[in-house]
Amino acid sequence: MIPHSVIDDIRQAADIVDIISDYVALQPAGRNYKALSPFTREKTPSFVVSPDKQIYKCFSTGKGGNVFSFVMEMEKVSFPEAVELVAKRAGIDISRFTEKKGKEPGEESWTETLRWTARYYHGMLEKKEGGKGNAYLKEKRGLSEKTIRNFGLGYAPEGWEHLLGAAEKDGIPRQHLCELGLLSHNRQRNSWYDTFRNRVIFPIFSVGGLVVGFGGRTLSSDPQAPKYLNSQESRIFEKSKLLYGMHAAKNEIRHKETAILVEGYMDVLALHQAGICNAVASCGTSLTQHQAKILRRYAADVLFIYDADPAGKKSMMSGIDILLAEGITPYVVTLPEGDDPDSFVSREGRERFQEYAAENRTPFLDFQIGIYRDAGYLERTEDKSKVARRIVHSLSLIPDRIAQELYLQELSETLSISFQALQEILGTEKSRSARRKAPAETRREPTGPQARPTEISVLEKTFLKALLESTRYGNTVLDFAASHEEMLELPGREAQEIFSHLIRRFGQIASDPEERIDISTEIALFESEGARNLASSLLMEQPVSERWLDRANIDTEKARICLTMFLDAFRNIILEPLQREESSIREKIRRETDTVHEMELMQEKKVLDERIKKTTSDLQQMIDHILSRN
């Protein structure tokens, strides 16, 4: 267990804006930051981060929380794992709390199993069995010990049960290894064996630096063995949503505002080893929209350096459209025939690679026209017309209308086609695109099962907001709430969870008058996502009463305001069910035709009226007494 005080220290040391910027392109918006939601597809930014309150709120999906809940959501990890990840980012060592002794089978999570597996494969390079892996990485591919260590490269030895045996020895659950595709099943023998055998292993990391999967290159001469093999896709490993090397490249990409996009693991490794640290690869797949969105968080420009073969050119042509749609400007560098980034930089060195890239940096429009010209499509009128329409389709994807028009003018001059004619084609493409998007705009991108919050009243919101806000100014409100907990039962499920959690936490710190609850930390500790979302929403909103805005901006006054608001809401929450009951009886009396029953109802109402009167008086006296002492 990580102590609450340590979790508070980590949360306070970690800047939520800095960490969320690893996943989302934040833009200043007054005192806050805004961005397109990372949880759904949208055109207008609805994701807000408050650096003052250290929380975020997505108004499209309702999700909200603090830095820990955001990392949990994006990395698909548990709360302790999120705390560990944020602590590492903040430079705080919490290993004394996270190191496990006497582990029992089943204790490890997927993330920990993947971490263990990566260490196992990496450690294999230091053993006799890892000789072939070392020879390939160091001698054949020229990688340094530092590069191998920084990217966690490893080796899966020959044999069928090396990983399986080591996992059983270390208490790693076999079920996790099976679910992650690291073990395969032999149906005939009903036995399990290592999926990766005699392969160099490339751990694949999330943007935040967690191992989420593996790629393995075979060292076998067997022509039937696939050259590259990836671990099984899972909820935390989706190749289409990952870029190899991004965890190591993101800061350099942000600094240069340019990403170099290559095809293979070795290309990334060779460029980083040469000091060109803004290179990433698309995990052996063609560029996807999800990958382009990741790039957009860091880069304004993307430099394609793919192989110059037909497959590479085809991938770049489709990738150009994907990048343009995300507002990224693509450029292309075509290397000399027979070269790839790995071979070129290894032979020529960093400076020559950078010189060559600068000299041969081709704008995407010139690259597209060059591809069609080399294929002979600009010689015949019919083909030229098709080329114009195809390129205009690419330009129609650009969100910036001014840039779109400038590219259209350039295309008009290059192809000797009137600007007006190209504008007509552009209009047709936009209309066609709008028709295709129309049905999809009503559907949200699936984000997994959502916790449906129960409706809560304005009164409950006022009560909770006062309670949450009060924690910033001391324990007066929490002390009162804890003393009268038995009088309250909030109708809303999430509202009651928040209230019960805060009362429970106050009980843990009540013995120390100086101890405080850090509400920005506490949000991530609520059990349900609905409670986290509700609390974040209440804290992000403006005060529910104008009275909050009329007081001096000092903690003692704010604490008294919170207490006043809380007590008002407390009184009304207790009286509201009694008042509803009184209204119900009054309506029954109005409709009753039997005199005897009517007299019984009137007597019932009289008793209830006396109860309401006494409860109101008692509550007011109690509130006046509390306020007179504070």
Side-chain angles (χ1 to χ4, degrees):
M1 292 292 291
I2 306 172
H4 278 283
S5 59
V6 175
I7 295 172
D8 283 347
D9 290 342
I10 295 168
R11 207 278 307 154
Q12 291 168 16
D15 181 2
I16 191 171
V17 173
D18 186 38
I19 289 180
I20 288 182
S21 292
D22 281 352
Y23 303 87
V24 178
L26 293 173
Q27 298 295 329
R31 294 176 65 89
N32 298 328
Y33 289 83
K34 295 189 78 173
L36 294 173
S37 169
F39 309 126
T40 188
R41 299 174 68 175
E42 63 181 12
K43 292 183 178 179
T44 304
S46 69
F47 182 81
V48 179
V49 180
S50 169
D52 296 337
K53 299 173 182 177
Q54 289 291 298
I55 59 175
Y56 69 90
K57 179 67 180 178
C58 173
F59 290 94
S60 287
T61 62
K63 291 179 182 289
N66 62 8
V67 65
F68 301 127
S69 53
F70 184 83
V71 171
M72 288 166 65
E73 184 77 32
M74 299 304 292
E75 296 285 354
K76 303 295 186 287
V77 295
S78 65
F79 176 74
E81 290 169 324
V83 172
E84 190 175 353
L85 196 61
V86 174
K88 182 180 179 181
R89 175 67 184 271
I92 298 176
D93 180 15
I94 60 169
S95 58
R96 63 190 184 279
F97 304 115
T98 57
E99 287 178 352
K100 296 179 176 60
K101 297 178 181 179
K103 290 181 290 188
E104 294 295 330
E107 184 181 345
E108 300 284 332
S109 72
W110 272 12
T111 303
E112 290 172 324
T113 297
L114 287 163
R115 187 185 300 139
W116 174 88
T117 305
R119 287 173 178 166
Y120 167 79
Y121 286 138
H122 182 67
M124 193 56 63
L125 290 174
E126 299 176 0
K127 299 180 179 181
K128 182 180 179 181
E129 298 95 318
K132 289 180 70 175
N134 267 314
Y136 177 81
L137 292 172
K138 294 178 180 177
E139 298 169 19
K140 187 170 183 178
R141 305 313 296 257
L143 294 181
S144 67
E145 189 67 44
K146 180 181 178 182
T147 300
I148 292 171
R149 183 175 63 254
N150 287 349
F151 284 84
L153 306 185
Y155 176 67
E158 295 183 83
W160 297 91
E161 297 181 351
H162 286 281
L163 180 69
L164 179 59
E168 290 177 348
K169 181 180 178 181
D170 287 356
I172 302 300
R174 178 185 296 187
Q175 180 183 353
H176 287 180
L177 295 171
C178 298
E179 291 168 344
L180 293 164
L182 299 171
L183 295 180
S184 298
H185 188 235
N186 184 318
R187 292 184 179 180
Q188 290 181 337
R189 297 184 179 181
N190 192 28
S191 61
W192 295 91
Y193 60 91
D194 298 351
T195 299
F196 292 110
R197 303 179 308 282
N198 193 22
R199 289 179 180 272
V200 171
I201 300 296
F202 302 88
I204 300 171
F205 296 86
S206 69
V207 172
L210 292 178
V211 180
V212 294
F214 298 94
R217 188 203 187 280
T218 186
L219 299 185
S220 170
S221 58
D222 181 1
Q224 300 299 317
K227 184 176 180 181
Y228 279 97
L229 186 67
N230 288 309
S231 57
Q232 179 177 295
E233 293 211 354
S234 66
R235 60 179 172 81
I236 62 174
F237 179 45
E238 297 179 70
K239 288 192 297 179
S240 65
K241 297 182 180 180
L242 294 164
L243 288 161
Y244 181 73
M246 179 55 82
H247 71 292
K250 60 189 178 187
N251 291 332
E252 186 72 5
I253 293 173
R254 184 185 284 125
H255 174 68
K256 292 186 174 180
E257 297 186 344
T258 299
I260 296 176
L261 188 60
V262 295
E263 289 186 276
Y265 302 138
M266 289 304 308
D267 293 328
V268 171
L269 295 169
L271 290 174
H272 278 255
Q273 181 165 288
I276 302 168
C277 298
N278 58 330
V280 294
S282 54
C283 286
T285 66
S286 297
L287 185 69
T288 68
Q289 185 181 41
H290 288 289
Q291 293 166 341
K293 286 182 181 297
I294 295 172
L295 290 167
R296 182 66 186 90
R297 299 170 194 163
Y298 308 96
D301 301 338
V302 166
L303 191 62
F304 275 110
I305 310 184
Y306 281 15
D307 293 350
D309 58 17
K313 291 178 180 177
K314 183 179 179 181
S315 293
M316 286 189 282
M317 288 289 277
S318 63
I320 284 171
D321 283 2
I322 292 169
L323 292 175
L324 289 175
E326 291 301 322
I328 301 172
T329 304
Y331 294 85
V332 177
V333 171
T334 303
L335 294 174
E337 188 173 350
D339 262 327
D340 55 29
D342 173 18
S343 63
F344 189 94
V345 77
S346 298
R347 184 182 68 250
E348 302 290 341
R350 174 186 176 183
E351 289 187 10
R352 178 58 192 141
F353 181 92
Q354 291 177 323
E355 288 173 4
Y356 185 91
E359 293 166 1
N360 294 273
R361 181 184 173 112
T362 305
F364 76 90
L365 188 57
D366 292 347
F367 176 76
Q368 286 179 315
I369 293 171
I371 290 289
Y372 291 122
R373 179 180 288 115
D374 292 344
Y377 286 117
L378 298 184
E379 297 173 2
R380 298 174 62 233
T381 301
E382 295 83 354
D383 293 337
K384 191 173 182 179
S385 173
K386 292 177 182 177
V387 168
R389 293 180 185 279
R390 179 62 190 81
I391 295 178
V392 170
H393 168 74
S394 296
L395 301 182
S396 72
L397 303 171
I398 299 173
D400 186 337
R401 292 185 63 184
I402 295 176
Q404 199 175 68
E405 186 163 324
L406 291 172
Y407 283 124
L408 209 63
Q409 289 175 346
E410 186 178 340
L411 182 63
S412 171
E413 294 169 5
T414 304
L415 296 185
S416 300
I417 299 174
S418 73
F419 182 73
Q420 291 75 18
L422 294 178
Q423 272 190 319
E424 288 181 13
I425 298 173
L426 181 64
T428 302
E429 285 293 331
K430 285 184 175 180
S431 299
R432 189 177 298 158
S433 177
R435 287 195 299 271
R436 282 197 302 266
K437 287 181 179 179
E441 289 297 318
T442 60
R443 299 193 301 268
R444 293 226 184 262
E445 187 180 57
T447 55
Q450 297 289 318
R452 298 189 64 181
T454 54
E455 289 294 326
I456 69 168
S457 65
V458 173
L459 182 58
E460 284 179 279
K461 286 184 179 180
T462 304
F463 175 86
L464 284 177
K465 186 166 179 61
L467 183 62
L468 290 164
E469 292 281 358
S470 75
T471 59
R472 301 187 189 281
Y473 315 114
N475 294 330
T476 304
V477 176
L478 280 171
D479 193 4
F480 173 81
S483 302
H484 298 82
E485 181 183 8
E486 72 282 352
M487 299 177 68
L488 287 167
E489 183 68 34
L490 301 180
R493 183 177 65 252
E494 289 86 4
Q496 182 62 40
E497 181 187 333
I498 293 171
F499 177 62
S500 299
H501 177 96
L502 291 178
I503 298 303
R504 185 170 61 254
R505 280 286 289 121
F506 175 71
Q508 296 170 354
I509 67 168
S511 59
D512 185 353
E514 300 301 317
E515 188 77 20
R516 296 288 183 268
I517 290 176
D518 185 334
I519 197 62
S520 295
T521 298
E522 211 64 34
I523 288 174
L525 298 173
F526 294 146
E527 185 175 344
S528 73
E529 182 184 4
R532 293 194 295 269
N533 295 343
L534 174 59
S536 304
S537 179
L538 291 172
L539 288 170
M540 190 70 77
E541 289 173 1
Q542 290 298 316
V544 293
S545 169
E546 289 300 316
R547 278 187 289 173
W548 287 44
L549 302 175
D550 296 334
R551 301 300 183 110
N553 188 24
I554 55 177
D555 282 358
T556 54
E557 280 300 301
K558 285 187 175 181
R560 184 177 176 83
I561 292 166
C562 285
L563 180 59
T564 303
M565 292 297 299
F566 176 83
L567 292 172
D568 284 347
F570 176 84
R571 174 181 54 202
N572 292 332
I573 282 176
I574 292 174
L575 290 174
E576 190 179 47
L578 298 175
Q579 291 165 345
R580 284 201 305 269
E581 186 179 352
E582 192 271 340
S583 296
S584 175
I585 293 174
R586 195 182 328 120
E587 180 63 20
K588 289 178 181 178
I589 292 172
R590 188 181 69 80
R591 295 182 176 181
E592 187 58 67
T593 57
D594 186 289
T595 304
V596 175
H597 285 165
E598 184 179 3
M599 293 297 292
E600 290 174 351
L601 287 169
M602 289 181 70
Q603 182 60 31
E604 186 179 341
K605 181 179 181 300
K606 182 180 178 181
V607 173
L608 184 59
D609 286 341
E610 287 298 322
R611 183 183 172 192
I612 291 173
K613 184 177 179 180
K614 186 178 186 308
T615 303
T616 302
S617 175
D618 290 347
L619 285 170
Q620 190 59 52
Q621 287 181 25
M622 182 177 64
I623 289 170
D624 291 342
H625 177 67
I626 291 168
L627 290 176
S628 69
R629 291 186 300 147
N630 291 278

